[in-house]
Amino acid sequence: MADIPGYVRACLHTGKLAFLAILVSGGIVLQVLACALYNNWWPMLTAIMYVFLPMPLLFFAGSDTSVLFSESSNSWVDATKFLTGASAIGSIAIPVILKHAGVIGWGALGLQLSSYVIFIVAIMFYIQMNNEDDHYGYTMF
């Protein structure tokens, strides 16, 4: 991308940010629809896990997301990986347990899990976009 003019790169970057915002908004809409369509707000418990999911990364890894994909002997990095994984599994487990207990129906479960998939795609897109920014030498925020 070195031969592309700066204004084209800025336009592409803006488009990526817009796509990221659309993904996150879609995930939030599906989360709320899972509750509102079935008049049952128990599936909103997963929103707690969505808040806890980035916390280990923020507290222990800072802005360096590459620690998730690398081998490390640092115990803080290992704790970060464990807590992030536990939060991710909790985001799937809560709606499945609610369905198993008969608290929510199949439709709410489907909307919850599709919301989770969209959030994961948004997180992976953000990490990939952040790595590209580091590679090309400009910062995102």
Side-chain angles (χ1 to χ4, degrees), residues 81-110:
K81 290 177 183 179
F82 174 76
L83 292 173
T84 303
S87 298
I89 296 301
S91 299
I92 297 171
I94 289 174
V96 170
I97 291 169
L98 289 173
K99 171 61 185 119
H100 181 71
V103 176
I104 64 173
W106 284 106
L109 177 67

Side-chain angles (χ1 to χ4, degrees), residues 53-65 67-68 80 84 127:
L53 188 62
M55 292 301 167
L57 285 171
L58 292 174
F59 293 144
F60 300 127
S63 63
D64 185 22
T65 56
V67 298
L68 286 177
T80 300
T84 303
I127 289 172

Side-chain angles (χ1 to χ4, degrees), residues 13-126:
H13 187 68
T14 304
K16 289 178 183 178
L17 284 175
F19 181 66
L20 186 63
I22 290 169
L23 279 175
V24 171
S25 300
I28 292 170
V29 166
L30 285 174
Q31 178 79 27
V32 172
L33 279 176
C35 299
L37 286 178
Y38 301 99
N39 200 20
N40 186 355
W41 292 90
W42 279 104
M44 198 55 83
L45 282 174
T46 20
I48 296 170
M49 296 310 291
Y50 293 151
V51 171
F52 287 149
L53 188 62
M55 292 301 167
L57 285 171
L58 292 174
F59 293 144
F60 300 127
S63 63
D64 185 22
T65 56
S66 66
V67 298
L68 286 177
F69 306 112
S70 63
E71 188 69 30
S72 174
S73 62
N74 187 352
S75 61
W76 289 110
V77 172
D78 291 339
T80 300
K81 290 177 183 179
F82 174 76
L83 292 173
T84 303
S87 298
I89 296 301
S91 299
I92 297 171
I94 289 174
V96 170
I97 291 169
L98 289 173
K99 171 61 185 119
H100 181 71
V103 176
I104 64 173
W106 284 106
L109 177 67
L111 286 171
Q112 283 290 105
L113 294 179
S114 61
S115 169
Y116 175 74
V117 168
I118 289 177
F119 278 130
I120 293 300
V121 167
I123 290 169
M124 296 306 287
F125 186 72
Y126 173 75

